[in-house]
Every structure is written in C-alpha cells, then in structure tokens.
Amino acid sequence: MRSREYLLGGMAGDLAMPVAAYANLFKICSTTAVMPNVKNAYILKDGGIAVTPKQDTIAATAATLSQFCESNPRATLRFLTKRDLKLSRSILDIVKISSTSATPCKKLKGLN
C-alpha cells in the first residue's frame, strides 16, 4: 500500500508507466503480499513486484516464484536480498530498485 502511495503521490519522480498500470500492479502486489512465503511486497517504479521472503531458501524461493508466475504470467517478481534492504533506508529507496535483474515470468514460462 505504501509503495503505491509513494509512486502515485509523485515522491518517486516521473513514472515509467501510465497510472492505470500501477493500479493493476497494486492488485498483483496485494495478492502477492498474502502468499505463504512473503513477508512484505512492494510495487517497483519500473513495473516489477519486489518481495522480502519469510524463508530465504532455494525451495521456498522456487515455490513462491512458481505460485507468482502461475497467477501473473506477464509480471516480474524480484526477491529483495539482505543487501538490498541494508541499502534501502525507506520505502522510497525500495520502489526505485530495478527489477531488470529478475527474470520475467513470461520468459520463465516461455511466453512471447
């Protein structure tokens, strides 16, 4: 919720996408936030969704990514590392993190 307020309130600067796209991302972020292995979920300025996992294991990460991509085949999920969180002092810092290092679900699922 707070990441959406920062983005739409103009605190993150110029938006990369139309406002309507962020409304759709908010829905995705809300459903992602209640996934079993997700502690927090954020909308990223570039259109990705970032999460802090409850368990940072390969099996838990794979299960979360699989569940996310099944529900959102055209979205991108980025797991925030402990280093990301150390460097990010506020929600504003988090929403500015890039999701380009994460593989989009459409590539993982072989979609065009």
Side-chain angles (χ1 to χ4, degrees):
M1 182 83 149
R2 288 178 47 204
S3 60
R4 180 181 75 160
E5 291 169 6
Y6 275 89
L7 288 167
L8 298 182
M11 291 179 258
D14 292 337
L15 297 177
M17 304 179 312
V19 173
Y22 290 99
N24 186 48
L25 285 172
F26 178 69
K27 292 175 190 172
I28 294 171
C29 187
S30 296
T31 58
T32 303
V34 297
M35 292 172 74
N37 189 41
V38 174
K39 184 189 267 185
N40 293 308
Y42 308 91
I43 302 169
L44 300 177
K45 184 177 178 178
D46 68 3
I49 300 295
V51 296
T52 53
K54 290 178 183 174
Q55 295 180 352
D56 194 13
T57 65
I58 293 172
T61 299
T64 302
L65 184 58
S66 175
Q67 184 180 359
F68 178 85
C69 288
E70 280 301 311
S71 301
N72 310 288
R74 303 237 178 250
T76 301
L77 183 66
R78 184 180 196 290
F79 288 87
L80 296 174
T81 64
K82 290 177 184 178
R83 183 174 185 264
D84 291 330
L85 296 172
K86 274 186 180 180
L87 296 174
S88 302
R89 295 186 193 109
S90 69
I91 296 289
L92 184 56
D93 292 335
I94 291 173
V95 300
K96 290 182 177 181
I97 291 174
S98 174
S99 64
T100 57
S101 65
T103 303
C105 291
K106 64 183 178 181
K107 186 172 182 178
L108 292 171
K109 294 181 72 64
L111 304 172
N112 290 326

